[in-house]
Amino acid sequence: MTQKVLEKMMLRLLLPALLAISWQALAVVIDKPTTLPRLEAVGNVLAHPTEKILITGSLVENSIISLIRVACGFCLAAAAAIPLGILMGYFGLAERLFESAIELLRPVPPLAWVPLILAWFGIKSLADWFPEQSYSMICDSIQFSMVFIILIGAFFPILISTIQGVKSIPQILLESARTLGAKNLSLLYKVIVPAILPSIVTGLRIGLGVGWMCLVAAEMMPGSSAGLGYLIWYAYELLRTEIVVAGIVVIGLLGFFMDQGFRYVEQRFLWVNRMR
Amino acid sequence: MLDIVNLSKYYSNTDGERVLAVSDLFLQVNRNEFVCIVGSSGCGKTTTLRLVAGLDRPTKGKITLDGKKINGPSPERGVVFQEYTLFPWRTVLANITFGLEIKKIGKQEACQIAGKYLQLVGLADYSRAYPYELSGGMQQRVAIARALAADPKILLMDEPFGALDARTRELLQNELIRIWQNNQKTIIFVTHSINEAIFLADRIVVMKRNPGRIQEIVTIELPRSRERTDESYKRYYTKIHRMLENDL
């Protein structure tokens, strides 16, 4: 049994290992750390996650700020997309009302909004709302413009999944709930929400992924002074590519673990996979 | 008790044409009566049942239950469908307590009631199972228990055993009769199967197509605890079969 698990692990790690080896070989051959940093330089950055990097904060600090930004944008996206998705999935009227607008906006890459969003929000941050707070360092870093970009990125996958979830509830399930006395609110809370929960979780997982991807872009906007995206950009300007790569690795790892977390939750809905 | 007066129902088909599904239907169902509706596909038997359930609105005419006009679904008219309709995210017990929760009956009492009906359908050991762990016949038993737990005045069943194999079907027919006799329920039961109807019904409403209407109502004058091999079965079978043949 453990033998098998070990084999599987080896297989999974085979390609990353090969990639790392060829990277290192190439880096040694080229011998230009600004183009291709050696792994030990990258590893050195990763090995000291709490040490201050350049003039910005440490890897951990930057990661935390990025995570908070993503969390803000993501939660706002979910709070808007889930109720709207339920409305659009359930009421034909709501669907017809919103569908064309949404289908027009959906294909627009979130980054295309950057100039407009900067014009709207400038570099205003949460600190403008809570100026006297002692944790203003964090508030300072939650710029509305970044949160908004992440919101746009995360919004559509959550919305589409929710709509799809509502639409795939068998009509007869809703009918039998109504014959048992469910109406309006009880129908919503006792049938529709539990029935679409798995779809929502899938939507959240994809939305968080997209939001996380928008992050780097959002953090490269003017007014940014922290975060993994900022760190990468800043390190690039100083040609410190080993920091760039370290930042990329951290973004990848954090994204991976968030995705795994949601996958774990998804798998808890046993009934979805086992239904007939 | 249940009064269907001059009931007609049009619906629009996919081509946008108006189709008369049920036409000028009159029917009275008495308390504690077991009425079966048989007829070929498209004779409006399911439509009629859905109208009584309140899931569809009649175009003309009205349906009253104990003098009260029906306008919408209500737990006083329990429905069991042919499709499996248990909530897949709820355990068997939680499925049965669904209607009780909506009635705001306390958790403990609800579980007690649910347990009683679970016992009634012979699934007391499965209260914590999920629907996907049950066979089709077991799921339909739970669906019956769920409908009964809400304490309906009348139970509407739309080919509930249609998807089951012959043996399970007979078993469930026996159980349904036992439940009906012990619980003083009124049942309207839609089926394709003439044999099923003869075994179950006090009266059989034979319907006919284009437009859907009642052809004849046959009273089954056989004593209860009926034997499926009984000679007089054949007489009824031949009679009803002939009526349906004329409708082809």
Side-chain angles (χ1 to χ4, degrees), chain A residues 27-45:
Chain A
V28 170
V29 171
I30 293 174
D31 198 24
K32 252 172 89 183
T34 53
T35 309
L36 208 60
R38 292 194 184 194
L39 289 187
E40 64 263 27
V42 176
N44 192 38
V45 179

Side-chain angles (χ1 to χ4, degrees), chain B residues 141 164-174 228:
Chain B
R141 283 192 184 122
L164 307 178
D165 64 88
R167 176 81 195 115
T168 312
R169 202 170 168 151
E170 286 190 1
L171 257 161
L172 282 188
Q173 289 166 2
N174 295 344
R228 288 184 177 80

Side-chain angles (χ1 to χ4, degrees), chain B residues 86-244:
Chain B
L86 298 182
F87 303 115
W89 56 87
R90 283 176 170 247
T91 62
V92 163
L93 192 78
N95 258 284
I96 301 178
T97 56
F98 181 90
L100 305 169
E101 285 170 26
I102 288 172
K103 276 188 183 168
K104 304 252 186 283
I105 291 174
K107 198 167 181 182
Q108 209 173 357
E109 197 191 342
C111 286
Q112 228 162 32
I113 298 172
K116 190 184 104 189
Y117 285 100
L118 211 48
Q119 194 117 43
L120 193 71
V121 295
L123 288 177
D125 295 340
Y126 291 86
S127 65
R128 279 200 276 204
Y130 280 88
Y132 61 76
E133 298 171 287
L134 305 182
S135 68
M138 288 154 97
Q139 291 197 37
Q140 286 310 67
R141 283 192 184 122
V142 178
I144 292 170
R146 184 176 67 174
L148 288 174
D151 196 25
K153 289 183 181 167
I154 186 165
L155 191 58
L156 310 170
M157 309 182 82
D158 188 7
E159 298 190 48
F161 308 148
L164 307 178
D165 64 88
R167 176 81 195 115
T168 312
R169 202 170 168 151
E170 286 190 1
L171 257 161
L172 282 188
Q173 289 166 2
N174 295 344
E175 274 183 33
L176 182 62
I177 287 296
R178 178 175 55 79
I179 291 168
W180 169 67
Q181 287 177 325
N182 295 343
N183 291 269
Q184 305 281 305
K185 288 287 170 198
T186 312
I187 300 181
I188 302 182
F189 189 107
V190 164
T191 176
H192 262 113
S193 158
I194 301 172
N195 277 322
E196 186 167 66
I198 299 171
F199 180 75
L200 294 172
D202 294 323
R203 283 190 300 155
I204 299 180
V205 177
V206 184
M207 288 185 71
K208 152 181 209 183
R209 297 189 291 188
N210 296 327
R213 60 201 186 281
I214 293 177
Q215 184 173 10
E216 199 173 323
I217 297 178
V218 181
T219 306
I220 306 293
E221 279 154 352
L222 294 175
R224 280 297 165 180
S225 61
R226 293 173 184 171
E227 282 298 327
R228 288 184 177 80
T229 45
D230 198 308
E231 269 303 304
S232 46
Y233 254 64
K234 227 180 187 146
R235 217 180 56 233
Y236 286 114
Y237 185 89
T238 317
K239 185 175 170 187
I240 295 168
H241 190 78
R242 220 167 262 151
M243 289 181 207
L244 293 181

